[in-house]
Amino acid sequence: MNVYIILRTADGAYYTQSNVLSFSFSKDLYTPYTTLTAHICTSSPKIPNIAEITLNVNGFPVHHGLIDSVKQEKKGNCRFISISSRGFTSLLCQNQIEPGLKMNISFNMLMEDFYTLPYVFHENDSDNSSYIYVKPNTSMWDAAANLTYKRRGTYPYIRGTNTVMMSPVTTPVTFDYSGEKFISTGIEHVNSRLGSDYHMADINGDYGNFDLSDSDVSDLKIVRHKYFDLDMRFLYAPQQALVYRDKYDFRGRERVFCSYNGYHGEDLCDIVSFDSVSSERVGSVTIRGSSKGIFTEVGVYRDKFPHISPNA
């Protein structure tokens, strides 16, 4: 495997590890961070207080994250290290913003003015024409999702290792797999999150004025009614509160995927073509490695959020 891992301790010492026994990496359009599990064999002495991990695959830096758990075990002449990590953007899910109305807020302000999060970068957007309403217990990621939907009608995602994006990348890499020998191709449907009917109360707490029914879901013979209070985040257009919830519950409903031996550097929002997929945006990337080699699965999503191709 052309793979190496860099471990950094809390006091700033770096340890580069090339004997990676196995690893599993994933990123997804609707998950606000990358994930990694890795197993390493090293002749180094015990590495104290590991704080960060970076994964490089075939020359591409794919993960930089904090440590969720780490286990070091000495057996014979080898020290085995097992690590579970999430990208630093996971901190956006673990930090809450003071509740209330935030007027004239830009994406830059949202990402920079509340907390300083290590290694977290973001799309440059200084347009402050929007507002967000922060409900109690709202995370920074939820606020970013709210602002992104207001500004772009989409959902934020992670590009590279820890860059938060609102917009489709303007210079995506294009991957045409017409000559690739696939390990597998397939399609997946997830129906467990779907809602058939949404009902929102008005300013007086009464129901009946704001309703939405999703025929795509009812056609599947799924009946799930959801009631909620007036959503202050969408006072500018109350019906959008129901539309957003319907789109969010429908996220990732259909995924078309392929897997192959190797890794070419695919990232979220790049462009791929294979089988019935023609110039669609990458929605998921999973990379696994072991003594058997490196294997990548790339998927595209078909749901209610727009996945805009460069020529659309």
Side-chain angles (χ1 to χ4, degrees):
M1 291 192 297
N2 184 10
V3 174
Y4 68 86
I5 280 174
I6 300 175
L7 305 176
R8 183 182 185 275
T9 63
D11 62 4
Y14 288 89
Y15 296 82
T16 300
Q17 306 294 323
S18 57
N19 192 6
V20 181
L21 302 178
S22 64
F23 73 92
S24 178
F25 162 86
S26 66
K27 69 186 309 184
D28 182 274
L29 201 61
Y30 298 113
T31 302
Y33 46 84
T34 59
T35 63
L36 172 67
T37 58
H39 303 282
I40 304 164
C41 175
T42 179
S43 58
S44 302
K46 181 180 177 181
I47 303 175
N49 208 9
I50 301 172
E52 305 172 25
I53 181 172
T54 301
L55 171 69
N56 187 293
V57 181
N58 288 349
F60 298 96
V62 298
H63 177 85
H64 184 199
L66 44 80
I67 304 301
D68 282 338
S69 66
V70 58
K71 177 182 178 181
Q72 301 189 51
E73 184 177 15
K74 182 71 180 298
K75 291 184 178 180
N77 295 324
C78 188
R79 182 176 299 279
F80 294 92
I81 305 177
S82 298
I83 295 179
S84 176
S85 169
R86 285 177 291 176
F88 280 95
T89 52
S90 63
L91 295 172
L92 293 166
C93 304
Q94 299 165 1
N95 284 276
Q96 298 179 354
I97 299 176
E98 180 183 1
L101 187 64
K102 314 295 182 183
M103 299 294 297
N104 304 117
I105 190 166
S106 68
F107 195 62
N108 290 356
M109 295 165 62
L110 175 62
M111 298 300 297
E112 297 170 8
D113 290 1
F114 293 98
Y115 305 105
T116 300
L117 302 179
Y119 308 113
V120 174
F121 305 95
H122 61 86
E123 176 180 341
N124 180 21
D125 191 301
S126 59
D127 186 330
N128 65 352
S129 61
S130 296
Y131 80 91
I132 57 173
Y133 181 81
V134 179
K135 301 188 294 183
N137 303 316
T138 293
S139 69
M140 288 185 70
W141 181 260
D142 290 336
N146 181 219
L147 185 57
T148 298
Y149 188 72
K150 278 188 170 70
R151 293 291 317 285
R152 301 285 192 268
T154 57
Y155 195 78
Y157 66 97
I158 306 304
R159 179 80 176 173
T161 52
N162 290 291
T163 299
V164 185
M165 300 288 294
M166 287 196 302
S167 312
V169 62
T170 55
T171 56
V173 182
T174 299
F175 297 90
D176 187 345
Y177 298 136
S178 55
E180 192 76 51
K181 184 178 180 180
F182 292 130
I183 297 171
S184 68
T185 59
I187 187 168
E188 178 183 24
H189 293 96
V190 177
N191 295 340
S192 58
R193 295 185 293 257
L194 303 182
S196 61
D197 297 88
Y198 298 83
H199 314 278
M200 185 176 72
D202 60 20
I203 194 71
N204 298 314
D206 298 324
Y207 290 94
N209 291 320
F210 301 113
D211 300 284
L212 183 148
S213 295
D214 189 330
S215 60
D216 292 329
V217 177
S218 58
D219 287 347
L220 297 170
K221 310 305 178 186
I222 294 174
V223 179
R224 295 188 184 119
H225 287 258
K226 300 186 178 185
Y227 285 81
F228 54 97
D229 295 334
L230 180 67
D231 194 333
M232 302 291 286
R233 300 174 299 174
F234 293 91
L235 287 180
Y236 69 101
Q239 192 66 25
Q240 281 299 313
L242 297 95
V243 173
Y244 174 75
R245 288 173 186 247
D246 180 44
K247 288 183 176 181
Y248 185 71
D249 288 348
F250 210 88
R251 71 192 185 281
R253 195 263 163 173
E254 179 177 292
R255 188 175 69 97
V256 184
F257 61 89
C258 67
S259 63
Y260 66 91
N261 191 335
Y263 174 60
H264 301 324
E266 297 90 343
D267 200 352
L268 298 185
C269 232
D270 281 337
I271 305 300
V272 292
S273 297
F274 62 91
D275 288 357
S276 64
V277 174
S278 178
S279 297
E280 296 185 41
R281 296 276 183 180
V282 173
S284 65
V285 179
T286 300
I287 314 169
R288 294 184 175 89
S290 69
S291 59
K292 297 179 180 179
I294 299 171
F295 304 92
T296 299
E297 182 185 277
V298 177
V300 301
Y301 284 125
R302 294 168 179 173
D303 51 36
K304 294 182 183 293
F305 281 111
H307 303 294
I308 306 170
S309 66
N311 300 318

